[in-house]
C-alpha cells in the first residue's frame, strides 16, 4: 500500500499577504514521489512531507512474520554511500510508525535482524532531492548554504515582492552541482 501525494523539499517564505498555510492549501507544495521498500515478510511505505526546509519521510513499516525487521536510511555523499541509520523497527507482526527528516538523496531499505551491521537487506529506494521547482514557482537564484544564506534569500524574496517582480517566494536548501560532489545551497524560487 502506498499513499497518493507527496511534497517537495522546501521552506515556505510567503509574501506579506500570503501565509505558509495559504500556500500549502493552494498547492504550492507540488508532488515528487512516494516511497515503498520491502524485504522478507516486511514492507514499508509512506509519503515525503515538508518540514523546515527539509523533506521528511513518514509512513510505517509492516510485518506479517515473527522476525525483526528494521527500516534503515543511508545518506549519499556524492556517489559514495554513508553509514546506515535505523529509522524504525518492527519486531514481529503488526506495524510501526516511521518518521525522519533528511536532505540530499539518501537510500532507504528494509533489513532483517537485530544487529547493527544490516547485512541482510532488501532492495533500496533513493529518496527524491526536491531539486525541481515547486508547482507554480520558477528558479530565480541560489547561494552556497551558510548561516547567513537563508536570511539573505528571504531578504531577496521580500525585495522582489515589494518591487512587484513576483507575487510570492520560497527559500529552501537543496543539494545542487556536479554529480560527484553536490553542494548544499539555499535556493530562491518565485511565483510570477
Amino acid at each position: 500500500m502506498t499513499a497518493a501525494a507527496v511534497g517537495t523539499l522546501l521552506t515556505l517564505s510567503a509574501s506579506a499577504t500570503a501565509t505558509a498555510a495559504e500556500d500549502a492549501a493552494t498547492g504550492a507544495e507540488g508532488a515528487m514521489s512516494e516511497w515503498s521498500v520491502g524485504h522478507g515478510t516486511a514492507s514499508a511505505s509512506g509519503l515525503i512531507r515538508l518540514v523546515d526546509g527539509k523533506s521528511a519521510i513518514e509512513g510505517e513499516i509492516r510485518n506479517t512474520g515473527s522476525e525483526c525487521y528494521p527500516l534503515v536510511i543511508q545518506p549519499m555523499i556524492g556517489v559514495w554511500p554513508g553509514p546506515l541509520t535505523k529509522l524504525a523497527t518492527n519486531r514481529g507482526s503488526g506495524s510501526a510508525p516511521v518518521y525522519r527528516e533528511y536532505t540530499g538523496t539518501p537510500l532507504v531499505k528494509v533489513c532483517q535482524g537485530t544487529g547493527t551491521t544490516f547485512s541482510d537487506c532488501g532492495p533500496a529506494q533513493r529518496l527524491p532531492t526536491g531539486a525541481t521547482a515547486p508547482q507554480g514557482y520558477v528558479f530565480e537564484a541560489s547561494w552556497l548554504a551558510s548561516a547567513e544564506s537563508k536570511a539573505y534569500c528571504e531578504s531577496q524574496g521580500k525585495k522582489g515582492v515589494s518591487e512587484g517582480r513576483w507575487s510570492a517566494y520560497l527559500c529552501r536548501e537543496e543539494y545542487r552541482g556536479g554529480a560527484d560532489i553536490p553542494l548544499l545551497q539555499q535556493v530562491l524560487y518565485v511565483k510570477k
Side-chain angles (χ1 to χ4, degrees):
M1 264 189 306
T2 60
V6 295
T8 57
L9 167 67
L10 60 95
T11 299
L12 182 60
S13 299
S15 68
T17 58
T19 65
E22 290 168 342
D23 276 354
T26 60
E29 303 175 1
M32 283 172 40
S33 67
E34 301 169 348
W35 67 274
S36 176
V37 291
H39 183 58
T41 59
S43 63
S45 62
L47 301 175
I48 296 170
R49 300 264 183 223
L50 312 175
V51 178
D52 298 328
K54 298 179 200 125
S55 289
I57 183 174
E58 66 179 356
E60 65 180 3
I61 181 168
R62 296 163 302 285
N63 187 8
T64 58
S66 60
E67 296 291 322
C68 179
Y69 286 93
L71 178 69
V72 297
I73 192 166
Q74 185 172 34
M76 297 299 290
I77 303 159
V79 295
W80 296 280
L84 291 167
T85 303
K86 192 182 315 183
L87 296 178
T89 301
N90 189 318
R91 301 184 200 296
S93 64
S95 66
V98 173
Y99 181 85
R100 173 71 175 250
E101 295 175 16
Y102 72 89
T103 58
T105 58
L107 302 174
V108 65
K109 55 188 165 183
V110 174
C111 299
Q112 183 178 11
T114 58
T116 57
T117 58
F118 307 115
S119 59
D120 182 12
C121 299
Q125 178 180 343
R126 185 173 291 234
L127 298 178
T129 180
T132 58
Q135 184 177 353
Y137 287 77
V138 295
F139 172 84
E140 181 65 23
S142 66
W143 304 269
L144 282 178
S146 68
E148 300 83 26
S149 65
K150 181 166 176 55
Y152 183 74
C153 181
E154 296 210 9
S155 72
Q156 294 303 301
K158 289 176 185 173
K159 182 178 176 185
V161 170
S162 68
E163 293 173 353
R165 292 185 290 155
W166 46 78
S167 61
Y169 71 93
L170 15 120
C171 294
R172 69 181 189 190
E173 286 186 342
E174 295 177 1
Y175 282 94
R176 302 179 130 237
D180 289 338
I181 305 176
L183 300 172
L184 187 60
Q185 297 185 11
Q186 188 67 233
V187 182
L188 173 64
Y189 289 101
V190 299
K191 187 180 277 189
K192 295 191 177 191

